Coordinates of all heavy atoms in Angstrom, one line a residue:
M1 N -0.5 -13.7 -9.8 CA -1.7 -14.1 -9.0 C -2.9 -13.3 -9.5 O -2.8 -12.1 -9.7 CB -1.5 -13.9 -7.5 CG -2.6 -14.3 -6.7 SD -2.2 -14.1 -4.9 CE -3.7 -14.4 -4.2
R2 N -4.0 -14.0 -9.7 CA -5.2 -13.4 -10.2 C -6.2 -13.2 -9.1 O -6.4 -14.2 -8.3 CB -5.8 -14.2 -11.3 CG -4.9 -14.3 -12.5 CD -5.4 -15.3 -13.5 NE -6.6 -14.7 -14.1 CZ -7.0 -15.0 -15.3 NH1 -6.4 -15.9 -16.1 NH2 -8.1 -14.5 -15.8
V3 N -6.7 -12.0 -8.9 CA -7.6 -11.7 -7.8 C -9.0 -11.3 -8.4 O -9.0 -10.5 -9.3 CB -7.0 -10.5 -6.9 CG1 -8.0 -10.2 -5.8 CG2 -5.7 -10.9 -6.4
P4 N -10.1 -11.8 -7.9 CA -11.4 -11.4 -8.4 C -11.7 -9.9 -8.1 O -11.2 -9.3 -7.1 CB -12.4 -12.2 -7.6 CG -11.7 -12.7 -6.5 CD -10.2 -12.8 -6.8
K5 N -12.5 -9.2 -9.0 CA -12.8 -7.8 -8.9 C -13.7 -7.5 -7.6 O -13.6 -6.5 -7.1 CB -13.6 -7.4 -10.1 CG -13.5 -6.0 -10.4 CD -14.3 -5.7 -11.7 CE -13.7 -4.4 -12.4 NZ -14.4 -4.2 -13.7
E6 N -14.5 -8.6 -7.2 CA -15.3 -8.4 -6.0 C -15.2 -9.6 -5.1 O -15.1 -10.8 -5.6 CB -16.8 -8.3 -6.4 CG -17.2 -7.0 -7.1 CD -18.6 -6.9 -7.5 OE1 -19.3 -7.9 -7.5 OE2 -19.0 -5.7 -7.8
I7 N -15.1 -9.3 -3.8 CA -14.9 -10.4 -2.8 C -16.0 -10.2 -1.8 O -16.2 -9.1 -1.3 CB -13.5 -10.3 -2.2 CG1 -12.4 -10.6 -3.2 CG2 -13.4 -11.2 -1.0 CD1 -11.0 -10.4 -2.6
R8 N -16.5 -11.3 -1.3 CA -17.5 -11.3 -0.2 C -16.7 -11.6 1.0 O -16.3 -12.7 1.3 CB -18.6 -12.3 -0.5 CG -19.7 -12.2 0.5 CD -20.8 -13.2 0.2 NE -21.6 -13.6 1.3 CZ -22.6 -12.8 1.8 NH1 -22.8 -11.6 1.2 NH2 -23.3 -13.1 2.9
T9 N -16.6 -10.5 1.9 CA -15.8 -10.7 3.1 C -16.5 -9.9 4.2 O -17.4 -9.1 4.0 CB -14.3 -10.3 2.9 OG1 -13.6 -10.6 4.1 CG2 -14.2 -8.8 2.6
Y10 N -15.9 -10.0 5.5 CA -16.5 -9.3 6.6 C -16.2 -7.8 6.6 O -15.1 -7.4 6.4 CB -15.9 -9.9 7.9 CG -16.5 -9.3 9.2 CD1 -17.8 -9.7 9.6 CD2 -15.8 -8.5 9.9 CE1 -18.3 -9.2 10.7 CE2 -16.3 -7.9 11.1 CZ -17.6 -8.3 11.5 OH -18.1 -7.8 12.6
C11 N -17.3 -7.0 6.9 CA -17.1 -5.6 7.0 C -17.3 -5.2 8.5 O -18.4 -5.5 9.1 CB -18.2 -4.9 6.1 SG -18.2 -3.1 6.4
S12 N -16.3 -4.6 9.1 CA -16.3 -4.3 10.5 C -17.3 -3.1 10.8 O -17.7 -3.0 11.9 CB -14.9 -3.9 11.0 OG -14.4 -2.8 10.2
H13 N -17.7 -2.4 9.7 CA -18.6 -1.2 9.9 C -20.0 -1.8 9.9 O -20.9 -1.3 10.7 CB -18.4 -0.2 8.8 CG -19.0 1.1 9.1 ND1 -20.1 1.5 8.5 CD2 -18.6 2.1 9.9 CE1 -20.4 2.7 8.9 NE2 -19.5 3.1 9.8
C14 N -20.3 -2.7 8.9 CA -21.7 -3.2 8.8 C -21.9 -4.4 9.8 O -23.0 -4.8 10.0 CB -21.9 -3.7 7.4 SG -21.8 -2.5 6.1
K15 N -20.8 -4.9 10.4 CA -20.8 -6.0 11.3 C -21.4 -7.3 10.7 O -22.0 -8.2 11.3 CB -21.6 -5.7 12.5 CG -21.2 -4.5 13.3 CD -20.2 -4.8 14.4 CE -19.9 -3.8 15.3 NZ -19.3 -2.6 14.8
R16 N -21.1 -7.5 9.3 CA -21.6 -8.7 8.7 C -20.8 -8.9 7.4 O -20.1 -8.0 7.0 CB -23.1 -8.7 8.4 CG -23.5 -7.6 7.4 CD -25.1 -7.4 7.5 NE -25.4 -6.2 6.8 CZ -25.7 -6.1 5.5 NH1 -25.7 -7.1 4.7 NH2 -26.0 -4.9 5.0
H17 N -20.9 -10.0 6.7 CA -20.3 -10.3 5.4 C -21.0 -9.5 4.3 O -22.2 -9.7 4.2 CB -20.2 -11.8 5.1 CG -19.1 -12.4 5.9 ND1 -19.1 -12.7 7.2 CD2 -17.9 -12.9 5.4 CE1 -17.9 -13.3 7.6 NE2 -17.2 -13.4 6.5
T18 N -20.3 -8.7 3.5 CA -20.8 -8.0 2.4 C -19.9 -8.1 1.2 O -18.8 -8.6 1.4 CB -21.1 -6.5 2.8 OG1 -19.8 -6.0 3.2 CG2 -22.1 -6.4 3.8
V19 N -20.4 -7.7 0.1 CA -19.5 -7.7 -1.1 C -18.6 -6.5 -1.1 O -19.1 -5.4 -0.8 CB -20.4 -7.7 -2.4 CG1 -19.6 -7.6 -3.7 CG2 -21.3 -8.9 -2.4
H20 N -17.3 -6.7 -1.4 CA -16.4 -5.6 -1.4 C -15.7 -5.5 -2.8 O -15.4 -6.6 -3.4 CB -15.2 -5.9 -0.4 CG -15.6 -5.7 1.0 ND1 -16.5 -6.5 1.6 CD2 -15.3 -4.8 1.9 CE1 -16.7 -6.1 2.9 NE2 -15.9 -5.0 3.1
S21 N -15.5 -4.3 -3.3 CA -14.8 -4.1 -4.6 C -13.3 -4.1 -4.2 O -12.9 -3.6 -3.2 CB -15.2 -2.9 -5.3 OG -15.0 -1.7 -4.5
V22 N -12.5 -4.7 -5.1 CA -11.0 -4.9 -4.8 C -10.2 -4.0 -5.8 O -10.5 -4.0 -7.0 CB -10.7 -6.3 -5.0 CG1 -9.2 -6.5 -4.8 CG2 -11.5 -7.2 -4.1
I23 N -9.3 -3.3 -5.2 CA -8.2 -2.6 -6.0 C -6.9 -2.8 -5.4 O -6.8 -3.1 -4.2 CB -8.5 -1.0 -6.2 CG1 -8.7 -0.3 -4.8 CG2 -9.7 -0.8 -7.1 CD1 -8.7 1.1 -4.9
I24 N -5.8 -2.7 -6.2 CA -4.5 -2.8 -5.7 C -4.1 -1.5 -5.1 O -4.2 -0.4 -5.7 CB -3.5 -3.3 -6.8 CG1 -3.9 -4.7 -7.3 CG2 -2.1 -3.3 -6.3 CD1 -3.2 -5.1 -8.5
Y25 N -3.6 -1.5 -3.9 CA -3.2 -0.3 -3.2 C -2.0 0.3 -3.8 O -1.0 -0.4 -4.1 CB -2.9 -0.6 -1.7 CG -2.3 0.6 -1.0 CD1 -3.0 1.7 -0.5 CD2 -0.9 0.5 -0.7 CE1 -2.4 2.7 0.1 CE2 -0.3 1.6 0.0 CZ -1.0 2.7 0.4 OH -0.4 3.7 1.1
K26 N -2.0 1.7 -4.0 CA -0.9 2.4 -4.6 C -0.5 3.5 -3.6 O -1.4 4.2 -3.1 CB -1.2 2.9 -5.9 CG -0.8 2.0 -7.1 CD -0.7 2.7 -8.4 CE -1.8 2.2 -9.3 NZ -1.9 3.0 -10.5
K27 N 0.7 3.6 -3.3 CA 1.2 4.7 -2.4 C 1.0 6.1 -3.1 O 1.2 6.3 -4.3 CB 2.7 4.5 -2.1 CG 3.3 5.4 -1.1 CD 4.7 5.1 -0.9 CE 5.4 6.2 -0.1 NZ 6.9 6.0 0.0
G28 N 0.5 7.0 -2.3 CA 0.3 8.4 -2.8 C 1.6 9.2 -2.9 O 2.7 8.7 -2.4
K29 N 1.5 10.4 -3.4 CA 2.7 11.2 -3.5 C 3.2 11.7 -2.2 O 2.3 12.1 -1.4 CB 2.4 12.4 -4.4 CG 3.6 13.3 -4.8 CD 3.2 14.4 -5.8 CE 4.4 15.2 -6.1 NZ 4.0 16.4 -6.8
E30 N 4.5 11.7 -1.9 CA 5.0 12.1 -0.6 C 5.0 13.7 -0.6 O 5.3 14.3 -1.6 CB 6.4 11.6 -0.4 CG 6.4 10.1 0.0 CD 7.8 9.6 0.4 OE1 8.8 10.4 0.3 OE2 7.9 8.4 0.7
R31 N 4.7 14.2 0.6 CA 4.7 15.7 0.8 C 6.1 16.2 1.0 O 6.8 15.6 1.8 CB 3.8 16.1 1.9 CG 2.3 15.8 1.7 CD 1.5 16.1 2.9 NE 1.9 15.4 4.1 CZ 2.1 16.0 5.3 NH1 1.9 17.2 5.5 NH2 2.5 15.3 6.3
S32 N 6.5 17.1 0.3 CA 7.8 17.7 0.4 C 7.9 18.6 1.7 O 9.0 18.9 2.2 CB 8.3 18.5 -0.8 OG 7.3 19.6 -1.0
T33 N 6.8 19.0 2.2 CA 6.8 19.8 3.4 C 6.6 19.1 4.7 O 6.5 19.6 5.8 CB 5.6 20.8 3.3 OG1 4.4 20.1 3.1 CG2 5.8 21.8 2.2
A34 N 6.6 17.7 4.6 CA 6.5 16.9 5.8 C 7.7 17.0 6.7 O 8.8 17.3 6.2 CB 6.3 15.4 5.5
Q35 N 7.5 16.9 8.0 CA 8.6 17.2 8.9 C 9.8 16.3 8.7 O 11.0 16.7 8.7 CB 8.2 17.1 10.4 CG 9.2 17.6 11.4 CD 9.0 17.1 12.8 OE1 8.1 16.4 13.1 NE2 10.0 17.4 13.6
G36 N 9.6 15.0 8.5 CA 10.7 14.0 8.3 C 11.5 14.4 7.0 O 12.7 14.3 7.0
T37 N 10.8 14.8 5.9 CA 11.4 15.1 4.7 C 12.3 16.3 4.8 O 13.4 16.4 4.3 CB 10.4 15.4 3.6 OG1 9.4 14.3 3.6 CG2 11.0 15.5 2.2
R38 N 11.8 17.3 5.6 CA 12.5 18.6 5.8 C 13.8 18.3 6.7 O 14.9 18.8 6.4 CB 11.7 19.6 6.5 CG 10.7 20.3 5.5 CD 9.9 21.4 6.2 NE 8.8 20.8 7.0 CZ 8.6 21.1 8.3 NH1 9.4 21.9 8.9 NH2 7.6 20.6 8.9
H39 N 13.6 17.4 7.7 CA 14.7 17.1 8.6 C 15.8 16.3 7.8 O 17.0 16.6 8.0 CB 14.2 16.2 9.7 CG 15.2 15.8 10.7 ND1 15.3 16.5 11.9 CD2 16.1 14.8 10.7 CE1 16.3 16.0 12.6 NE2 16.8 14.9 11.9
H40 N 15.4 15.4 6.9 CA 16.4 14.6 6.1 C 17.1 15.5 5.1 O 18.3 15.4 4.9 CB 15.7 13.5 5.4 CG 16.6 12.6 4.7 ND1 17.6 11.9 5.4 CD2 16.7 12.2 3.4 CE1 18.3 11.2 4.5 NE2 17.7 11.3 3.3
A41 N 16.4 16.5 4.5 CA 17.0 17.4 3.5 C 18.0 18.3 4.2 O 19.1 18.6 3.7 CB 15.9 18.3 2.9
E42 N 17.7 18.7 5.5 CA 18.7 19.5 6.3 C 20.0 18.7 6.6 O 21.1 19.2 6.5 CB 18.0 19.9 7.5 CG 18.8 20.9 8.4 CD 19.0 22.3 7.7 OE1 18.1 22.7 6.9 OE2 20.1 22.9 7.9
D43 N 19.8 17.4 6.9 CA 21.0 16.5 7.2 C 21.8 16.3 6.0 O 23.1 16.2 6.0 CB 20.5 15.2 7.8 CG 20.1 15.3 9.2 OD1 20.4 16.3 9.8 OD2 19.4 14.4 9.7
K44 N 21.2 16.2 4.8 CA 21.9 16.0 3.5 C 22.7 17.2 3.0 O 23.6 17.1 2.3 CB 20.9 15.5 2.4 CG 20.6 14.0 2.5 CD 19.5 13.7 1.6 CE 19.9 13.8 0.2 NZ 18.9 13.3 -0.8
K45 N 22.2 18.4 3.5 CA 22.8 19.6 2.9 C 24.2 19.8 3.4 O 24.5 19.4 4.5 CB 21.9 20.8 3.4 CG 22.0 22.0 2.5 CD 20.8 22.9 2.8 CE 21.2 23.9 4.0 NZ 20.1 24.8 4.3
G46 N 25.0 20.5 2.6 CA 26.4 20.9 3.0 C 27.4 19.7 3.0 O 27.2 18.7 2.3
Y47 N 28.4 19.8 3.8 CA 29.4 18.8 3.8 C 29.1 17.7 4.8 O 28.3 18.0 5.7 CB 30.8 19.4 4.2 CG 31.3 20.4 3.2 CD1 31.3 21.8 3.5 CD2 31.7 20.0 1.9 CE1 31.7 22.7 2.6 CE2 32.2 20.9 1.0 CZ 32.2 22.3 1.3 OH 32.6 23.2 0.4
G48 N 29.6 16.5 4.6 CA 29.4 15.5 5.6 C 28.6 14.3 5.0 O 28.4 13.3 5.7
G49 N 28.1 14.5 3.8 CA 27.4 13.4 3.2 C 26.0 13.0 3.8 O 25.4 13.8 4.5
Q50 N 25.7 11.8 3.6 CA 24.4 11.3 4.0 C 24.3 11.0 5.5 O 25.3 10.7 6.2 CB 24.1 10.0 3.3 CG 23.6 10.1 1.9 CD 22.2 10.5 1.7 OE1 21.5 10.9 2.6 NE2 21.7 10.2 0.5
K51 N 23.1 11.1 6.1 CA 22.9 10.8 7.5 C 23.0 9.3 7.6 O 23.5 8.7 8.6 CB 21.5 11.3 7.9 CG 21.2 11.0 9.3 CD 19.8 11.5 9.6 CE 19.4 11.1 11.0 NZ 18.0 11.3 11.2
F52 N 22.4 8.6 6.6 CA 22.5 7.1 6.5 C 22.8 6.7 5.1 O 22.5 7.5 4.2 CB 21.3 6.4 7.1 CG 20.0 7.0 6.7 CD1 19.4 6.7 5.5 CD2 19.4 7.9 7.5 CE1 18.2 7.3 5.1 CE2 18.2 8.5 7.2 CZ 17.6 8.2 6.0
P53 N 23.4 5.6 4.8 CA 23.8 5.2 3.4 C 22.7 5.2 2.4 O 21.6 4.7 2.8 CB 24.4 3.8 3.6 CG 24.6 3.6 5.0 CD 23.7 4.5 5.8
E54 N 22.9 5.7 1.2 CA 22.0 5.6 0.2 C 21.9 4.2 -0.4 O 23.0 3.5 -0.5 CB 22.3 6.5 -1.0 CG 21.5 7.8 -1.0 CD 21.8 8.7 -2.2 OE1 21.9 8.1 -3.3 OE2 21.8 9.9 -2.0
L55 N 20.8 3.6 -0.6 CA 20.6 2.3 -1.1 C 21.0 2.2 -2.6 O 20.4 2.8 -3.4 CB 19.2 1.8 -0.9 CG 18.9 0.3 -1.1 CD1 19.6 -0.6 -0.1 CD2 17.5 0.0 -1.1
K56 N 22.1 1.4 -2.9 CA 22.6 1.4 -4.3 C 21.7 0.4 -5.1 O 21.3 0.6 -6.2 CB 24.0 0.9 -4.3 CG 25.0 1.9 -3.7 CD 25.2 3.1 -4.6 CE 26.3 4.0 -4.2 NZ 26.0 4.9 -3.1
R57 N 21.4 -0.8 -4.5 CA 20.6 -1.8 -5.2 C 19.7 -2.5 -4.2 O 20.1 -2.6 -3.0 CB 21.5 -2.8 -5.9 CG 22.4 -3.6 -5.0 CD 23.4 -4.4 -5.8 NE 24.5 -4.8 -5.0 CZ 24.5 -5.8 -4.2 NH1 23.4 -6.6 -4.0 NH2 25.6 -6.1 -3.4
S58 N 18.5 -2.9 -4.6 CA 17.6 -3.5 -3.7 C 17.9 -5.0 -3.6 O 18.2 -5.6 -4.6 CB 16.2 -3.3 -4.1 OG 15.9 -3.9 -5.3
A59 N 17.7 -5.6 -2.5 CA 18.0 -7.0 -2.2 C 16.7 -7.9 -2.7 O 16.9 -9.0 -3.0 CB 18.3 -7.3 -0.8
K60 N 15.6 -7.3 -2.6 CA 14.4 -8.0 -2.9 C 14.1 -8.0 -4.4 O 14.3 -7.0 -5.1 CB 13.2 -7.5 -2.2 CG 13.4 -7.3 -0.7 CD 13.2 -8.6 0.0 CE 13.1 -8.6 1.5 NZ 14.4 -8.4 2.2
T61 N 13.5 -9.1 -4.9 CA 13.1 -9.2 -6.3 C 11.6 -8.9 -6.5 O 11.2 -8.7 -7.7 CB 13.4 -10.6 -6.9 OG1 12.8 -11.6 -6.1 CG2 14.9 -10.8 -6.9
T62 N 10.9 -9.0 -5.4 CA 9.4 -8.8 -5.5 C 9.0 -7.7 -4.5 O 9.7 -7.4 -3.6 CB 8.7 -10.0 -5.2 OG1 9.0 -10.5 -3.9 CG2 8.9 -11.1 -6.2
K63 N 7.8 -7.1 -4.7 CA 7.2 -6.2 -3.8 C 6.0 -6.8 -3.1 O 5.4 -7.7 -3.6 CB 6.8 -4.9 -4.5 CG 7.9 -4.1 -5.0 CD 7.5 -2.6 -5.1 CE 6.3 -2.4 -6.1 NZ 6.1 -1.0 -6.4
K64 N 5.7 -6.3 -1.9 CA 4.5 -6.8 -1.2 C 3.3 -6.0 -1.8 O 3.3 -4.8 -1.7 CB 4.6 -6.6 0.3 CG 5.5 -7.6 1.0 CD 5.4 -7.5 2.5 CE 6.1 -8.6 3.1 NZ 6.0 -8.5 4.6
Q65 N 2.4 -6.7 -2.4 CA 1.2 -6.1 -2.9 C 0.1 -6.1 -1.9 O -0.3 -7.2 -1.3 CB 0.7 -6.9 -4.2 CG 1.7 -6.8 -5.3 CD 1.7 -5.5 -6.0 OE1 1.0 -4.6 -5.7 NE2 2.5 -5.4 -7.0
T66 N -0.5 -5.0 -1.6 CA -1.6 -4.9 -0.6 C -2.9 -4.6 -1.4 O -2.9 -3.8 -2.4 CB -1.3 -3.7 0.4 OG1 -0.1 -3.9 0.9 CG2 -2.4 -3.6 1.4
L67 N -4.0 -5.2 -0.9 CA -5.3 -5.0 -1.5 C -6.1 -4.0 -0.7 O -6.0 -4.0 0.5 CB -6.1 -6.3 -1.6 CG -5.5 -7.4 -2.5 CD1 -6.4 -8.7 -2.3 CD2 -5.6 -6.9 -3.9
K68 N -6.8 -3.2 -1.4 CA -7.7 -2.2 -0.8 C -9.1 -2.7 -1.1 O -9.5 -2.7 -2.2 CB -7.5 -0.8 -1.2 CG -8.0 0.3 -0.4 CD -7.3 1.6 -0.6 CE -7.9 2.4 -1.7 NZ -7.3 3.8 -1.7
L69 N -9.9 -3.0 0.0 CA -11.3 -3.4 -0.2 C -12.3 -2.4 0.2 O -12.1 -1.8 1.3 CB -11.5 -4.7 0.7 CG -10.5 -5.9 0.5 CD1 -10.8 -6.9 1.5 CD2 -10.5 -6.4 -0.9
K70 N -13.3 -2.1 -0.6 CA -14.3 -1.1 -0.3 C -15.6 -1.8 -0.3 O -16.1 -2.4 -1.2 CB -14.3 0.0 -1.4 CG -15.2 1.1 -1.1 CD -15.1 2.2 -2.1 CE -15.9 3.4 -1.8 NZ -15.8 4.4 -2.8
C71 N -16.4 -1.6 0.8 CA -17.7 -2.2 1.0 C -18.7 -1.6 0.1 O -18.7 -0.4 0.0 CB -18.1 -2.1 2.5 SG -19.7 -2.8 2.8
K72 N -19.5 -2.4 -0.6 CA -20.4 -1.9 -1.5 C -21.7 -1.3 -0.8 O -22.3 -0.4 -1.4 CB -21.0 -3.1 -2.4 CG -20.0 -3.6 -3.4 CD -20.0 -2.9 -4.7 CE -19.1 -3.5 -5.7 NZ -19.4 -3.0 -7.1
D73 N -21.9 -1.7 0.4 CA -23.1 -1.2 1.2 C -22.8 0.1 1.8 O -23.5 1.1 1.6 CB -23.5 -2.2 2.2 CG -24.1 -3.5 1.7 OD1 -24.2 -3.6 0.4 OD2 -24.4 -4.4 2.4
C74 N -21.7 0.2 2.6 CA -21.5 1.4 3.4 C -20.3 2.3 2.9 O -20.1 3.4 3.3 CB -21.3 1.1 4.9 SG -19.8 0.1 5.1
G75 N -19.5 1.7 2.0 CA -18.3 2.4 1.5 C -17.1 2.4 2.4 O -16.1 3.1 2.1
H76 N -17.2 1.7 3.5 CA -16.0 1.5 4.4 C -14.9 0.8 3.7 O -15.1 -0.2 3.1 CB -16.5 0.8 5.7 CG -15.4 0.7 6.7 ND1 -15.0 1.7 7.5 CD2 -14.7 -0.4 7.1 CE1 -14.1 1.3 8.3 NE2 -13.8 0.0 8.1
Q77 N -13.6 1.3 3.9 CA -12.5 0.7 3.2 C -11.6 0.1 4.2 O -11.4 0.6 5.3 CB -11.7 1.8 2.5 CG -12.4 2.3 1.3 CD -11.6 3.3 0.5 OE1 -10.5 3.7 0.9 NE2 -12.0 3.7 -0.7
I78 N -11.1 -1.1 3.9 CA -10.1 -1.8 4.7 C -8.9 -2.3 3.8 O -9.1 -2.4 2.6 CB -10.7 -3.1 5.4 CG1 -11.4 -4.0 4.4 CG2 -11.7 -2.7 6.5 CD1 -11.7 -5.4 4.9
M79 N -7.8 -2.5 4.4 CA -6.6 -3.0 3.7 C -6.4 -4.4 4.0 O -6.6 -4.9 5.2 CB -5.4 -2.2 4.2 CG -5.4 -0.7 4.0 SD -5.3 -0.3 2.3 CE -4.1 1.0 2.4
R80 N -6.1 -5.2 3.0 CA -5.8 -6.6 3.2 C -4.3 -6.8 3.1 O -3.7 -6.3 2.2 CB -6.5 -7.5 2.2 CG -6.1 -8.9 2.4 CD -7.2 -9.9 2.2 NE -8.4 -9.7 3.0 CZ -9.6 -10.3 2.7 NH1 -9.6 -11.2 1.7 NH2 -10.6 -10.2 3.4
Y81 N -3.7 -7.4 4.2 CA -2.2 -7.5 4.3 C -1.6 -7.9 3.0 O -2.0 -8.9 2.4 CB -1.9 -8.4 5.5 CG -0.5 -8.5 5.8 CD1 0.2 -7.5 6.4 CD2 0.2 -9.7 5.5 CE1 1.6 -7.6 6.6 CE2 1.6 -9.8 5.8 CZ 2.2 -8.7 6.4 OH 3.6 -8.8 6.6
G82 N -0.5 -7.3 2.7 CA 0.3 -7.5 1.4 C 1.1 -8.8 1.5 O 1.6 -9.2 2.5
I83 N 1.1 -9.6 0.4 CA 1.9 -10.7 0.3 C 2.9 -10.6 -0.9 O 2.6 -9.8 -1.8 CB 1.1 -12.0 0.0 CG1 0.2 -11.9 -1.2 CG2 0.2 -12.4 1.2 CD1 -0.5 -13.2 -1.7
R84 N 4.0 -11.2 -0.8 CA 5.1 -11.1 -1.8 C 4.7 -11.9 -3.1 O 4.4 -13.1 -3.0 CB 6.4 -11.6 -1.3 CG 7.4 -10.5 -1.1 CD 8.6 -11.1 -0.5 NE 9.0 -10.1 0.6 CZ 9.4 -8.9 0.4 NH1 9.4 -8.4 -0.8 NH2 9.7 -8.2 1.4
L85 N 4.7 -11.2 -4.2 CA 4.5 -11.9 -5.5 C 5.0 -11.0 -6.6 O 5.1 -9.8 -6.5 CB 3.0 -12.3 -5.7 CG 1.9 -11.3 -5.2 CD1 1.7 -10.2 -6.1 CD2 0.7 -12.2 -5.0
K86 N 5.3 -11.7 -7.7 CA 5.9 -11.0 -8.9 C 4.8 -10.1 -9.6 O 5.1 -9.0 -9.9 CB 6.4 -12.0 -9.9 CG 7.6 -12.7 -9.5 CD 8.8 -12.2 -10.2 CE 10.0 -13.0 -9.8 NZ 11.3 -12.3 -10.1
K87 N 3.6 -10.7 -9.8 CA 2.6 -10.0 -10.5 C 1.2 -10.3 -9.9 O 0.9 -11.4 -9.6 CB 2.6 -10.4 -12.0 CG 1.7 -9.6 -12.9 CD 1.8 -10.2 -14.3 CE 0.8 -9.5 -15.2 NZ 0.9 -10.1 -16.6
M88 N 0.4 -9.2 -9.8 CA -1.0 -9.4 -9.4 C -1.9 -8.7 -10.3 O -1.6 -7.5 -10.7 CB -1.1 -8.7 -8.0 CG -2.5 -8.9 -7.4 SD -2.7 -8.1 -5.9 CE -2.2 -9.4 -4.8
E89 N -2.9 -9.4 -10.8 CA -3.9 -8.7 -11.7 C -5.3 -9.0 -11.2 O -5.6 -10.1 -10.6 CB -3.8 -9.2 -13.1 CG -4.0 -10.7 -13.3 CD -3.9 -11.1 -14.8 OE1 -4.7 -10.6 -15.6 OE2 -2.9 -11.8 -15.1
I90 N -6.2 -8.0 -11.4 CA -7.6 -8.1 -11.0 C -8.4 -8.6 -12.2 O -8.4 -7.9 -13.2 CB -8.1 -6.8 -10.4 CG1 -7.3 -6.5 -9.1 CG2 -9.6 -6.9 -10.1 CD1 -7.6 -5.2 -8.5
V91 N -9.2 -9.7 -12.0 CA -10.0 -10.2 -13.1 C -11.4 -10.2 -12.7 O -11.8 -10.1 -11.5 CB -9.6 -11.7 -13.4 CG1 -8.2 -11.7 -13.9 CG2 -9.7 -12.6 -12.1
Q92 N -12.3 -10.3 -13.7 CA -13.7 -10.3 -13.5 C -14.3 -11.6 -13.1 O -13.8 -12.6 -13.3 CB -14.5 -9.7 -14.7 CG -14.6 -8.3 -14.6 CD -14.2 -7.5 -15.9 OE1 -13.9 -8.1 -16.9 NE2 -14.2 -6.2 -15.8

């Protein structure tokens, strides 16, 4: 699916339709010191195996791509809900 580089859509901060720049959302690096990560590492340690089964293979063939829109006027960022597709590219 091809997505334009700029979209004119509603900005909740400006309270009107403005031009937004579009980028594909990418997940950031997970913190190793987060409480959930430390808790899971403790459960995996020693004898007794996993707390829950490790995923051997994924059932899905596609990922949900989410768009991140940034308002050109005020810089406010919003996320546009992800849809399932094989490939997404941003075009001019």
Side-chain angles (χ1 to χ4, degrees):
M1 181 176 171
R2 298 171 69 154
V3 181
K5 203 176 206 177
E6 290 182 343
I7 293 176
R8 187 175 157 78
T9 189
Y10 183 76
C11 175
S12 58
H13 196 258
C14 299
K15 304 270 194 290
R16 61 194 171 90
H17 278 73
T18 56
V19 178
H20 287 67
S21 60
V22 179
I23 55 170
I24 296 169
Y25 168 77
K26 270 196 245 175
K27 185 179 167 185
K29 189 179 178 186
E30 286 187 359
R31 296 178 299 133
S32 58
T33 56
Q35 190 199 354
T37 311
R38 285 185 280 124
H39 184 95
H40 187 58
E42 187 65 32
D43 283 343
K44 278 173 64 172
K45 204 164 90 177
Y47 296 109
Q50 285 278 20
K51 182 181 172 194
F52 41 84
E54 258 185 41
L55 190 66
K56 294 286 190 282
R57 59 189 163 83
S58 69
K60 306 283 190 281
T61 56
T62 57
K63 286 205 304 189
K64 280 189 175 181
Q65 296 284 0
T66 305
L67 292 177
K68 197 156 87 170
L69 308 174
K70 186 176 181 180
C71 180
K72 291 270 187 166
D73 292 358
C74 65
H76 183 73
Q77 291 185 350
I78 55 168
M79 301 286 227
R80 180 140 304 167
Y81 183 71
I83 56 169
R84 246 177 227 295
L85 34 80
K86 290 255 183 201
K87 186 181 176 185
M88 181 184 273
E89 63 176 293
I90 294 173
V91 294
Q92 270 133 5

